[in-house]
Structures are given as C-alpha cells and as structure tokens.
Amino acid sequence: IVVMLASPAVMLALLMLNILIIIHLLSVISQNSAGQFFSSGHTNNWAVLVCTSRFWFNYRHVANTLSVYRSVKRLGIPDSHIVLMLADDMACNHRNPKPATVFSHKNMELNVYGDDVEVDYRGYEVTVENFLRVLTGRLPPSTPRSKRLLSDDRSNILIYLTGHGGNGFLKFQDSEEISNVELADAFEQMWQKRRYNELLFIIDTCQGASMYERFYSPNIMALASSQVGEDSLSHQPDLAIGVHLMDRYTFYMLEFLEDIHPASKTNMNDLFKVCPKSQCVSTPGHRTDLFLRDPGSVLITDFFGSVRKVELTMDAINLTDPIKQMEEDPVNGEEQKEVYSYADQLPVSEIIHQKPKQKDWHPPDGFILGLWTLILLVFFKTYGIKHLKHIF
Amino acid sequence: MGLLSDPNRRRALISMLTRLNAPICVVCYFAGVAWFMGLAFEPFTLRTYMSENAMGSTMVEERFPAGERALATGREFAAHKKKVGGMPVDWLVKNMQDRGLEVFTQSFSRTLPFPDENKERYIVKGTNVYGILRAPRAPRTEALVLSAPCSPGDNNNQAVGLLLGLAQYFRNQIYWAKDIIFLVNEHDLIGMQAWLEGYHHTNTTGMSWSPLQGRGGSIQAALSLELSSDVITSLDLVLEGLNGQLPNLDLANLFYAFCQKIGVLCTIQGKLQRNDWDSVSGYNHAVQTMMLMVMKQASGRPWGDHGLFLRYHIEAATIKGVNSFRQYKTDATTIGRLLEGMYRKLNNLLERLHQSYFFYLMPSLSHFVSIGYYMPAFGLLAVILLLRALDLWVQLNTPPSTTEDGVADIDQVRHTLLSVLTPLVISHLTGVALYALPIRFQETAVEHFPVSETEAVVLTAIAIYTAGLALPHNTHRYYIVSTVPDVRGWRVLKLVAVLYLAVLLGCTALINFSLGFILALTLVPLAAFVTPHVPKVLSAFILVILSPACTLLFSVFFFQELQDMPVSFQDGWLLYLSVISQGILDHSLYGSLVYPLIALLVYPCWLLFWNILFWK
C-alpha cells in the first residue's frame, strides 16, 4: 500500500535497489562457481603403477598394470608423469604364443601392450627399496628423470599396486616383501616433504585391505580388491595363451574406466561401487577417513586424468604498461613469513680446527662462576680470611 | 631318581621287557602287516593334486590334427624296418630332417656277460637316432625328451609314427621355451643307457658308445611312448624305475589331469580305478594295484625306457597304449593332443619338478600314500629286531649261575667277540662267492655240463646258495681260540646279526621301501625266533622257506597271480630262473643294486642265522 502510494522517484529508487541486489547476488554466485571451479586444489597429476610379480604364470598382474597404464594415458597423464614398474617381461617371454603382446581380454580382443609403452623400472629393478625411493624421492643424483617421481605439493598422485599379497604385506619378486607399516611411513614421509596434494591408493592383491589399514597421513584415499582373509580371484583364462589374463577387480575397474572421458563428472562414489561381491567373489574395500574432501565431490579425472583447468575469457588484457614490482608492505596486514636458513649439517671449520665463526658473546655461565667462587673459598679457607685484606 | 637310573625301576623295566618280549614282537609284526594292508583302504589315502604352481591347471588348447598321418608314417617305418632288418637309420634321419629338426646319431655296442635268453641277444650293436627341436627364442639351457623305442617285429611302430607326427606339429609352434629332443632308441634299455651316458658324459657300466654330436641342455622331464596298435582303449602309466626309484608325483598328476580333461581311460598297473572303495571287492582291487606296484618296485628293474632317466634326477614316465576289448576306442589324434597338452604344461616349468612327493605308493591313479604314511609299517617290523636285541643284551649282561672272577669274564667276552668274527667273515666270503663266481665260471660250467651259458650262470648261483647251507658243520673247526666253548657265544652272534639285519633293512627301506618291506616280512620273524634250542629240523625247514631265494620264488608266483596270469609250477620255475638271470644282467648292464644287495649283504646275514640255528 505504501509502495503504490509512492511517487515515481521512489519507485525508480526501489528498482535501482533491486537491480543492485541482483547484481550483487550474481557476483556472489559467480564467485561460488569460480570457487567450485578451483576446488580440487591440484595442478598436476602423477601415477605410480607397480606390478610386483614375475614368472609366466603371473601374466595377469602385468596385464592388470598395463591396463591401468593405458587408461591413465588415455585420460591425459603423459609418460613423463607416469612411473611404470613391471617386474617381468610377459610380452617377450619365450612362452608367449603371441610375442610382443599382452592381452587383457580373452580371444585376444584388447592388446594392452601396444607400441608406445614406456616401462621405467623393469625386471629386477622392481624392488622394495626402489619403490620406496621413488615415493620418497631419495634417489641417487644419477637417476634419470623418467625414473623419478617429481611431484610437488600440488600434485595428485595415483598409486596402483598388484601382485601376490597377504595379511599386511605385498610380495615383491618372490624374494622380499613390503609391509603395510613401511608403506604408511613412506606416505608420511611424502606428506612431510610436501610431495603430494592428494593421494589415491589402489591395490589388487589377496587380502589387499590390510595394506591400507596403517595409513595415518592426511589426504589419502585407498581402495582394495579384497578384505583381510579373502583372496582376490583371477578373471578368465585364455586357452591359446594358457594363463589367466586379468584379475577380476581390475577387469571390472577397467570396464568402468573405459566409460570415463576427460570431461566426465563421475565421482569416487561410483568407483567404490565397482565390482560388487557378486562379480568379484571377494569384497572390495575402501578407506576415506583420512581424506579431507567428501568423496562425492572428488572426480575420477582428479586422479586418473590430467585435466588442465582452462579459464576462457573474452576480455582483452592490456599488457602495454611495464610490469611493476609488487612491494612487500608489512603494514598491509599480511603475515611476515619467516626466513628459513639451512642448519649447518657439516661444520667443517670446527672439524678442521679453523678460526671459528663469530658467535654472539654470552655472559659466563653460572657453572663457571660457581667454580671460581669455590676456588676462591678454598684458597681463603686454607690461607685464612685475614689475607683477604691483602687483596682488597 | 630318573626312570633308567633308579636300580629298582630299572630292574622292573628289564623284567617287563624280558617277560613281554615275545608277545610284543608278535603284536608288532601283525600291526605292521595290518598297517601295510590298510594303506590301500581309500579313507587312509589322499587324493592326488598338482603341487607345482608353474604347471597350474590344464587350461591349454590342444590342436594336434594329424593323427592319421602319424599312423601312416608308422606304417612306413615298419616297412623300412623290415627291409633293413633292424633300425632304419637313414630313413629316420631323412624324415626328421625333413621335419626341421637337428638330427644326430649315436652308435653303441656291448657284449653281455652271458646271453640274454628273454630277448635273445648276446653281442648288442645298435644306433640311436635323435632330433632336436630348438626353442625359437629361448637360450638352449633346458630340454624335454620324447622317446619311442625301436622294437623288433611289429611292436611300437605307431609310437615312432606318432613321435614323428608330433615333431612336425611342435616345429610349427613358437611358444617352446625349452628344446625338445625326439629320440628313437634301439635295443630299448641298452640303447637308452648308451644315450644317457653319452648325454651326461658318464660311463658307469662299461658300454662303448660314440660321443653325441648335438646336445640340448639339462633335461627337465622325459616321456617314453609305447604304442603298438592304431586304436587304443586305454593308456597305462608306468612309473617304476631302476632300483625302485619313482619320478616326482607331479608327473603322474599331470598325466591324470589331462586324461580327465580329454576323456581318455587311464590306468596304472593295467588296472582301472573303481569307485566302490567300501566294498570288499573294491578294496581287493586297490590292494592288488598297490601290491603290483610294490612287487615292481622291489624287483629294482626299470619297467619302461623311462626307468634309466631317474638316476640323473630327470623325472620320467612311460605311457603305454593298451588295446583291450572295451567299447570306447581312442584314436591317435586324441593321444597326440594329450601329449601336446602335457608338453605345453611341462614347457611352463621354471625349475625341476620338486614340489610333490618322490616316495609314494599308488593304490589307484587318483590316490596316493606318501612316505610319512607307509614308513610306520616298516618301523613296526624294525622295532621287533630292536626289542630282540635289547633282550639279548639283557641276557648277556646278567651274570651266569657260576660266577667267575672279573678277569676270566673279560677274557671270555673278548674271546666271544673274536669268535663271532669267524662266522661273519665266512658268511660274507660265501656272499662274495655268490656274487662273483657264477659269471666267472660259466665257461667251465658249460664245458662240464650240457647247459647253455644262461642256465650255467643261474644254476651256479643256486648251487653256491645251497652250498652255503652246509657251512655250520665246518665252521666249528675254525674257531681261533681253544678255551671252553662258550654257551653264551651264540647270543653275541645273534645280537650282532640282529643289529646288522636291522641296519641293513632300514637302509634298504629308505631307498627302496618295497624291497625293504618284503625282506623284512620274511627275515624279521626268523631273526626273532631262531636260537640253537628250537627243534632243528622244523626250524631248518622254516629258515629255508623264509630265505631270500624262496621269497623270490613265492614272489614270482604271487606276481603272476596279481596280473591274472597264474602259471603252473613248471612255468613258474622257469620264470624264476629267468628272473635270477635278469637280475644279474640288470646289475652288469644298468647298475641295478638288487642282486649285489641280496648276494653280498642279505644272504650272509641269513647265513648267520643259519649258523646260530646249528650252533653247538
């Protein structure tokens, strides 16, 4: 009633107010979508894919790893960001009736070996020590770039392990094992060295869930093909080749991944549903308590793909002005960052008795003072107090 | 105080031991025999299973197509064999070369110590022909062998044909990781021995052979084929080898697994498996199968060409094709597929077969008894000997009724031990005579008696054996000391003899359980009961019945019964003579140890007991 009685000027003012409100809301919304656009927080993707078993009858483990490698490459992670470790060469094994191929489907439908496979660690180089060195980055300076995991604190890393395992361990090459405690400690080292932003750990072995029980570093999500006490089963044999070609969990995961393309929005909850007990016979498990984001908001391509965030703009940006240095202004309210300096790990000067560095002068300790007092007291005790006057 | 150091308890134990000795021995004996018979009862056996991970299950695709062509090749081989009158070496060499193998020959010759009447040969000269299929991509470090014997007459032609057919098929495949050697050996075991000695650069039996020009690598497994008809109804697996050695059970498991997959009837000892283990006839069947295996293992001869591979730690078996009157017939293509499947699985091996058992008994092809289950049967029999020894020791240590002073006692003990030495030495010299003399004096025997060389050897052996029975009447004169003949002397001799027998049978049972068990069955009772005080005539008769020679005679009759081919006494006796001659031949040709064991060790031991019986 009040509005209807208002004059046109008041109405105009109200209209302007509405428009302002709408614009404000719109900006807020755009800010939210922009926030969502950059919600994952990672800028690059890495993958470490490991097959730990050798011998011809473990063909399926190599096929598992190669199929994950193929999916990850297809979704965009380049070879320079993939560390592929294969413990044995199945493609060129003397017993392979189709040399230079590794098949993942029977009747030889899908050759996962292809002609552009880059294996970084091969044969006897796949050891527990090398695997842990790759993860933690403690490699000798002569290691080539292709064998290093050069991740930083904005990298999302996918780690896939397959082979023969048991309750709390994974067998490497028939001669050694890695335990779940070692793996958890390696991930903690990675966290402390800021070598990952988020980590997805997938393991396809018997009793695989035992391997992620001990993780304690943040931002790790883990998937396993079977629980403790269960065996992961192989999928199908190929009679012409004479071995089992894939394990069930990885087979159904591969089928799931074949539907993912770089722009798909499928999230981790769908990955958790891959291979239910009816298909896999074992019960797959997952662990998300260490992960900070909600798994429903984590895209598959956050780990399996290397999706570059692209911001399209129609505005022209003027670059003719010289670029001014931004001055550091402590008054701005920003926190003053501490200046870090390296601890002196090798004090050479002290070792070879050179002139020591100038240190700040400290007043003498109480200990030295006490010692001198004691000496003086003893002196005066022996020689009598009357000698004091000779001093003063 | 402890159980054994407290004198009261000790006396109580000793008195219990002496009182109950005979009953416990009898109980142990029957328990041992019952345990052995119980081994064939199916709930006490285990099902066979594949132990080697690398061989895995039978999931290969067999695609061998050329069974008919293989049979045609076999017929061609038979024709050439008849034309040449022996092994058609040139035809075989050309044929193998046409199939793309690297072909080599080896000639060998051997003069047998005396003519072999079973196979009618004396001076043996022959040639082995073998072709090597090199693995396309693998280094030449390992090999598999497929062999077929070249037998005179119409035997085993199809085996050679199938071998050549498989060679051609295998040559076209690229998945071989080991070299495959296709061997056709002449004069079956003698040729095989020559080939193996040449391959491994050993010369243990004094054969002369030409060195092998081509070689494959260390042999991982070998199969020998015996196939004499175009159509077969079942396949028989032969496992027993030289000196009772058996191949790894995984080889039998592999064969059985493929038989089931392809659907061929498979037998062992020629007997088909039955499902009714809880009925009496089913149990009988299983016992018969097991006893056949025990008999064959105890004889120590190789029952197929594969038997000589086992000595070189190469797992080998013989597959025999049997054509009997059954409805379902299998053709050569199916057998070829079975062999193809087995060789593809053997190809997957990474190391020698070692995961499964080396010592076992098989009451049927799908069930087995391992050494842990059958050894207690022998152990119960050996316990009898130990109990007897303990009893004798106790008797020796209780002072006699007329006590003498310590010095004379010690003298007596020493003299008793020395006097024990005399029968021991004489028995062993007789054993050496039994071992060496038959072959050495066969010419003199042939001069003086109207017999052939083989008969001369065998009859000399039997003569020396019987002459040994006359010994006790003479050994008394050769005692070294002339003190009062000791009444207790026989106890010392028996103690030594019983312990000697226990050690001997124990060692034999470890290597060849069947031989040890059969000898124990007969020798342990006589060792237990024989003393100078038992009725002489009856005991002498029983001792002769239980002696190794008579055990062998009964075993021959029993073996023929088990194979459902009972023989009359005349034929049985002739068979017995031929068994002795084969035993002596096996020893000199292949190094079988059964004849030396019986002649040099078991027979002297038995003579010691004969000596005790006639102790004065």
Side-chain angles (χ1 to χ4, degrees), chain B residues 10 37 46 195 219-220 255 270 335 343 352 411 465 473 519 539 557 601:
Chain B
R10 210 167 161 187
M37 300 305 286
L46 292 167
W195 189 81
I219 303 177
Q220 304 290 299
F255 176 72
I335 306 175
Y343 270 87
R352 286 184 196 273
D411 280 343
Y465 190 92
H473 302 287
L519 287 175
S539 316
F557 281 104
L601 293 170

Side-chain angles (χ1 to χ4, degrees), chain A residues 55-58 91-100 108 164 236-244, chain B residues 53-55 57-61 63 137-139 142 174-178 261 344-345 347-350:
Chain A
F55 304 138
W56 175 244
F57 56 88
N58 289 323
C92 297
N93 193 311
H94 309 309
R95 296 168 181 81
N96 194 345
K98 305 272 176 236
M108 293 172 260
H164 287 291
Q236 47 182 306
D238 182 302
L239 292 180
I241 302 182
V243 284
H244 286 281
Chain B
N53 210 357
M55 286 210 296
S57 60
T58 55
M59 54 181 179
V60 278
E61 209 175 21
R63 288 208 209 100
R137 294 171 279 150
E142 291 174 348
I174 59 169
Y175 47 68
W176 298 113
K178 302 183 206 291
K261 179 185 181 203
R344 262 202 92 168
K345 279 292 149 187
N347 184 37
N348 282 356
L349 280 178
L350 298 153

Side-chain angles (χ1 to χ4, degrees), chain B residues 165-179:
Chain B
L166 279 173
Q168 183 162 23
Y169 177 71
F170 284 179
R171 184 72 178 85
N172 291 333
Q173 312 303 321
I174 59 169
Y175 47 68
W176 298 113
K178 302 183 206 291
D179 293 346

Side-chain angles (χ1 to χ4, degrees), chain A residues 12-220:
Chain A
L12 194 65
L14 278 171
L15 194 64
M16 291 292 288
L17 191 62
N18 279 335
I19 291 168
L20 271 170
I21 291 170
I22 289 166
I23 290 171
H24 178 68
L25 279 172
L26 271 173
S27 65
V28 164
I29 288 168
S30 68
Q31 267 175 14
N32 275 347
S33 64
Q36 204 177 35
F37 191 60
F38 289 106
S39 68
S40 63
H42 73 281
T43 59
N44 54 77
N45 285 84
W46 285 82
V48 178
L49 311 174
V50 184
C51 160
T52 59
S53 6
R54 55 172 40 239
F55 304 138
W56 175 244
F57 56 88
N58 289 323
Y59 184 100
R60 58 190 187 276
H61 297 141
V62 172
N64 287 351
T65 318
L66 284 174
S67 22
V68 175
Y69 171 79
R70 198 183 151 276
S71 309
V72 147
K73 256 180 93 161
R74 185 177 55 84
L75 291 171
I77 303 185
D79 272 316
S80 55
H81 281 227
I82 303 178
V83 177
L84 179 62
M85 304 170 87
L86 294 181
D88 201 359
D89 182 10
M90 294 306 166
C92 297
N93 193 311
H94 309 309
R95 296 168 181 81
N96 194 345
K98 305 272 176 236
T101 59
V102 173
F103 290 107
S104 64
H105 282 63
K106 73 171 177 195
N107 302 325
M108 293 172 260
E109 288 165 14
L110 182 58
N111 173 18
V112 289
Y113 199 64
D115 45 2
D116 58 347
V117 168
E118 272 185 33
V119 182
D120 301 306
Y121 285 83
R122 62 194 65 200
Y124 287 109
E125 290 172 351
V126 177
T127 57
V128 174
E129 182 189 344
N130 280 349
F131 175 59
L132 292 176
R133 280 185 187 280
V134 162
L135 287 181
T136 54
R138 297 178 199 283
L139 288 161
S142 55
T143 318
R145 281 182 74 93
S146 60
K147 284 186 160 164
R148 288 179 188 263
L149 179 67
L150 297 165
S151 55
D152 52 29
D153 64 324
R154 301 290 289 278
S155 310
N156 274 11
I157 307 184
L158 164 72
I159 297 186
Y160 176 80
L161 293 174
T162 183
H164 287 291
N167 191 354
F169 67 92
L170 170 64
K171 184 172 82 154
F172 265 70
Q173 298 247 24
D174 226 26
S175 60
E176 48 182 3
E177 298 125 18
I178 187 173
S179 63
N180 49 4
V181 175
E182 274 182 302
L183 198 57
D185 287 342
F187 287 160
E188 177 62 17
Q189 282 190 54
M190 286 174 80
W191 173 252
Q192 289 190 4
K193 291 171 81 165
R194 298 287 181 268
R195 281 170 69 78
Y196 69 89
N197 176 36
E198 284 166 349
L199 200 89
L200 176 63
F201 174 78
I202 306 183
I203 183 162
D204 188 352
T205 64
C206 302
Q207 308 194 49
S210 62
M211 288 304 281
Y212 61 61
E213 275 170 4
R214 300 292 192 120
F215 292 168
Y216 54 94
S217 319
N219 275 347
I220 300 184

Side-chain angles (χ1 to χ4, degrees), chain A residues 241-259:
Chain A
I241 302 182
V243 284
H244 286 281
L245 293 183
M246 283 270 271
D247 279 329
R248 282 174 190 249
Y249 183 72
T250 311
F251 182 79
Y252 289 111
M253 195 172 74
L254 179 66
E255 276 192 357
F256 171 76
L257 288 174
E258 290 285 312
D259 291 333

